[in-house]
Amino acid sequence: MNFLKLTTLGLAASIMAASAAAAPPAEAKPSVVIVHGAFADGSDWAKVIPLLQAKGVHVVAVQNPLSSLADDAAAAKRAIDAQPGKVVLVGHSWGGAVITQAGDNPKVSALVYVAAFAPDVGQVIGELGKGFPTPSGVAHFAPDPAGWLYLTPEGMGKHFAQDLPAATTAVMAATQGPILGSAFGDKVSVAAWKQKPSWYLLAESDRMIAPELQRSMAKAINAKLSTVKSSHVPQQSQPAKVAAVILDAVQSVK
């Protein structure tokens, strides 16, 4: 190979390398961090996670200690901080209070509430339902001697997840994550939804958080509202609809 040909090939390689360096990198999708609610754990999202992963989304499900709002927010923060880029933060039920607190993080670009509490600064979960119908499921809380709350098997099967098979809810009752009762009295000190765009998926047949309260909270936080005919756990009974709302939030992040 002569000198001229070598020089030409070298120049071409240099131009290609320079062009690649100048080209802007492909915009990475934000990660999704999911915060589960009371009486559950991260596996509560086992049907939604594969749907998000199939779209190329990196997903992490936080394992909340359910011991206090501060403890759960700290667990969520660790998961958020571990992500390489932007984050869409998702919360179910009690997890809505957690993302409201933990979402005050520069890496969090959007919030998704799934049949979740969306409190304001100074509010506590135990007071949010005042003035709204009392959900039938709250009559099935069973405290242990240490003050941790469980759901009875009847509460799980007929009020928490009444649209799932009995065999499934029996396992859910056996593997549930209890929440320390005092956590419901913890005050939110920051409301991330005031600065972050929010989505809300309302569960129309919810027997744990009154649908009327869900609608009111979604309006108060100016969320993009969707509805689904499901129990309190649409992530299990209607996973495709839940995934669609989360993906909408993911696609909105620039």
Side-chain angles (χ1 to χ4, degrees):
M1 184 177 291
N2 61 37
F3 177 76
L4 179 59
K5 192 169 184 180
L6 284 172
T7 302
T8 303
L9 288 173
L11 180 60
S14 298
I15 292 171
M16 290 175 65
S19 297
E27 189 71 24
K29 290 185 176 73
S31 299
V32 169
V33 173
I34 300 173
V35 180
H36 66 79
F39 316 117
D41 62 16
S43 66
D44 191 38
W45 287 81
K47 294 179 181 178
V48 173
I49 290 171
L51 301 179
L52 301 177
Q53 291 174 332
K55 297 295 185 180
V57 178
H58 176 67
V59 188
V60 173
V62 180
Q63 299 292 350
N64 300 331
L66 297 174
S67 48
S68 70
L69 178 60
D71 290 347
D72 285 5
K77 182 180 184 298
R78 290 193 296 272
I80 294 165
D81 289 344
Q83 304 315 306
K86 297 176 181 178
V87 169
V88 171
L89 190 57
V90 181
H92 171 246
S93 192
W94 157 260
V98 179
I99 70 170
T100 297
Q101 184 80 26
D104 184 36
N105 184 308
K107 296 183 76 169
V108 175
S109 296
L111 304 170
V112 180
Y113 293 81
V114 179
F117 292 110
D120 201 347
V121 174
Q123 290 187 316
V124 300
I125 298 304
E127 298 176 350
L128 286 179
K130 289 182 178 179
F132 294 91
T134 301
S136 58
V138 301
H140 296 272
F141 290 170
D144 70 8
W148 293 81
L149 300 178
Y150 291 79
L151 265 185
T152 65
E154 180 182 357
M156 187 68 74
K158 295 183 178 179
H159 303 274
F160 191 84
Q162 71 272 14
D163 51 359
L164 295 178
T168 300
T169 60
V171 172
M172 291 169 65
T175 61
Q176 65 180 289
I179 186 168
L180 193 61
S182 60
F184 288 128
D186 292 346
K187 289 185 178 181
V188 172
S189 61
V190 61
W193 50 259
K194 292 186 177 182
Q195 289 82 35
K196 316 281 176 153
S198 300
W199 281 249
Y200 198 106
L201 182 61
L202 186 160
E204 294 181 330
S205 300
D206 201 320
R207 298 176 184 174
M208 300 302 299
I209 302 177
E212 297 90 341
L213 173 58
Q214 292 184 43
R215 190 175 296 278
S216 175
M217 291 186 293
K219 182 178 180 181
I221 68 173
N222 195 31
K224 183 176 180 179
L225 177 64
S226 300
T227 62
V228 60
K229 292 186 181 300
S230 80
S231 68
H232 188 54
V233 286
Q235 65 270 27
Q236 293 211 40
S237 62
Q238 303 268 0
K241 292 187 177 181
V242 177
V245 173
I246 297 172
L247 288 170
D248 187 39
V250 167
Q251 291 159 5
S252 78
V253 175
K254 305 299 183 186

